[in-house]
Amino acid sequence: MKKYHPVDSLQSPRFAGVSTFMRLPHVRTLEDVDFVVVGQPFDTATTFRPGCRFGPRGIREASSILKAYNPVLDVDLFEHLSGVDYGDIDIVPGYLEESHTRITEGMSPIFESGVTPVILGGDHSITLPTLRALHRHHGPVSLLHFDAHSDTSSDYFGKPYNHGTPFYWAMEEGLIDPTTSIQVGMRGHYYSKDCHDYALGKGMEIITGWELHEIGIPAAIERIRERIKGTKVFLSFDIDFMDAAYAPGTGTPEIGGFTSYEALRLVTECCLDQNMLGMDLVEVLPDLDHAQITALAAAGVIHAFLSVLAKNKAA
């Protein structure tokens, strides 16, 4: 069986001009791999600062500093996992519904194969078509969502789909089970309180940013783990969960947030021993990312998730 592990070269003729994620080989294959890194470079659904279509490129470039061994979990990723950089989903800039269709069709064979995808966004609207693909093969799943915003508005200016609406429509379409799902870190401003009221009315649990600061990370981890245990889980991580000081390169930065350490600890401890079907990390905007602060944080969070996958498999 061929195992796909990091390579020395950071470039591949097949994906010219795109750095590998953590020096993974660029191979569009689902055979003999445990995970794939997939770019979804779409940002037509942003409402403030565009440019996160270049997020996948920025995260890949920052990831070249990462190494395989995670001393926190005492695990070497590639002793237990095989993975490749699968390249990007071909989207159509400027055309949301067409791009979402391409994302759903592009992600479907990955979920069907049982390979775990790590998705590089892109704006947060990409999670909706990803969940549509996931639902085809697993039915409704639990959502573990870290963000400054709930993204549960029903529409923006009369239109249903943008990066502030994916989880409203995910619940409306039955893609996630809100009674086993949880949103964490919400602290941004909203057009109205309806978005929170809608999610809570559906059975969603929410730990707001203010509450998370008050109860602390260990208590939040306990609540999150209890919420999702025994279920199939998809992790969606918006980089603006972190405070603007730690993630300035994003389209809707928010103050009053969380450190990169807190993000790493939450992802690591919440996902251990859970049935994680995949993750996305969205809203990295390289053009406004001084010294790659945001991209490095994004790559680190993804590394934590992969480390958990390795630890879970080793166990």
Side-chain angles (χ1 to χ4, degrees), residues 283-306:
E283 302 284 354
V284 173
L285 201 172
D287 283 354
L288 296 175
D289 188 21
H290 175 69
Q292 292 184 302
I293 294 171
T294 313
L296 287 166
V301 168
I302 292 169
H303 187 275
F305 180 78
L306 291 173

Side-chain angles (χ1 to χ4, degrees), residues 21 33 40-41 55 66 68 74 78 84 162 165 175 179 212 215 226-227 239 242 257 278 283 288 290 299 306:
F21 186 88
V33 294
Q40 295 184 9
L66 300 176
D74 186 26
F78 297 108
V84 299
N162 81 351
T165 68
L175 308 179
T179 66
L212 181 53
I215 68 174
E226 180 65 23
R227 182 72 168 177
I239 201 66
M242 297 185 195
E283 302 284 354
L288 296 175
H290 175 69
L306 291 173

Side-chain angles (χ1 to χ4, degrees), residues 31-229:
E31 295 183 6
D32 301 327
V33 294
D34 300 295
F35 73 91
V36 292
V37 175
V38 185
Q40 295 184 9
F42 180 76
D43 67 359
T44 301
T46 53
T47 56
F48 188 46
R49 306 194 304 199
C52 59
R53 71 182 62 186
F54 301 108
R57 180 185 300 175
I59 299 169
R60 283 182 171 110
E61 187 174 312
S63 78
S64 63
I65 197 173
L66 300 176
K67 287 84 176 176
Y69 177 68
N70 184 325
V72 175
L73 293 179
D74 186 26
V75 67
D76 188 305
L77 272 65
F78 297 108
E79 284 184 5
H80 306 285
L81 300 178
S82 175
V84 299
D85 190 326
Y86 196 72
D88 290 344
I89 301 293
D90 293 326
I91 57 89
V92 187
Y95 295 87
L96 185 146
E97 293 190 7
E98 290 85 348
S99 293
H100 280 194
T101 297
R102 289 183 177 219
I103 289 170
T104 298
E105 295 307 316
M107 294 303 301
S108 188
I110 297 174
F111 288 119
E112 184 179 15
S113 71
V115 173
T116 304
V118 173
I119 299 158
L120 315 178
D123 68 49
H124 219 155
S125 76
I126 67 170
T127 309
L128 179 60
T130 297
L131 289 172
R132 287 170 177 161
L134 180 57
H135 183 268
R136 288 180 178 178
H137 307 288
H138 293 280
V141 299
S142 299
L143 175 71
L144 173 55
H145 176 206
F146 295 99
D147 203 325
H149 313 93
S150 67
D151 296 345
T152 50
S153 297
S154 60
D155 66 275
Y156 269 61
F157 303 102
K159 297 297 183 182
Y161 304 123
N162 81 351
H163 72 163
T165 68
F167 301 117
Y168 175 89
W169 292 107
M171 284 186 276
E172 286 292 296
E173 295 178 21
L175 308 179
I176 61 175
D177 180 356
T179 66
T180 59
S181 297
I182 187 165
Q183 298 181 302
V184 185
M186 287 71 218
R187 64 189 187 278
H189 307 108
Y190 300 99
Y191 291 107
S192 78
K193 68 190 292 283
D194 292 346
C195 54
H196 273 199
D197 289 347
Y198 169 81
L200 291 170
K202 288 288 189 178
M204 180 76 73
E205 183 172 356
I206 299 175
I207 302 176
T208 67
W210 288 94
E211 184 182 5
L212 181 53
H213 282 300
E214 289 172 357
I215 68 174
I217 300 300
I221 290 170
E222 185 175 344
R223 279 176 58 181
I224 293 165
R225 289 183 59 82
E226 180 65 23
R227 182 72 168 177
I228 64 175
K229 72 176 183 180

Side-chain angles (χ1 to χ4, degrees), residues 205-272:
E205 183 172 356
I206 299 175
I207 302 176
T208 67
W210 288 94
E211 184 182 5
L212 181 53
H213 282 300
E214 289 172 357
I215 68 174
I217 300 300
I221 290 170
E222 185 175 344
R223 279 176 58 181
I224 293 165
R225 289 183 59 82
E226 180 65 23
R227 182 72 168 177
I228 64 175
K229 72 176 183 180
T231 69
K232 299 177 180 180
V233 187
F234 184 82
L235 168 64
S236 188
F237 193 102
D238 189 321
I239 201 66
D240 69 23
F241 171 80
M242 297 185 195
D243 189 88
Y246 294 87
T250 188
T252 49
E254 298 284 356
I255 63 171
F258 301 92
T259 68
S260 49
Y261 160 75
E262 289 169 322
L264 289 174
R265 185 173 178 188
L266 283 161
V267 168
T268 298
E269 296 190 31
C270 290
C271 297
L272 274 173

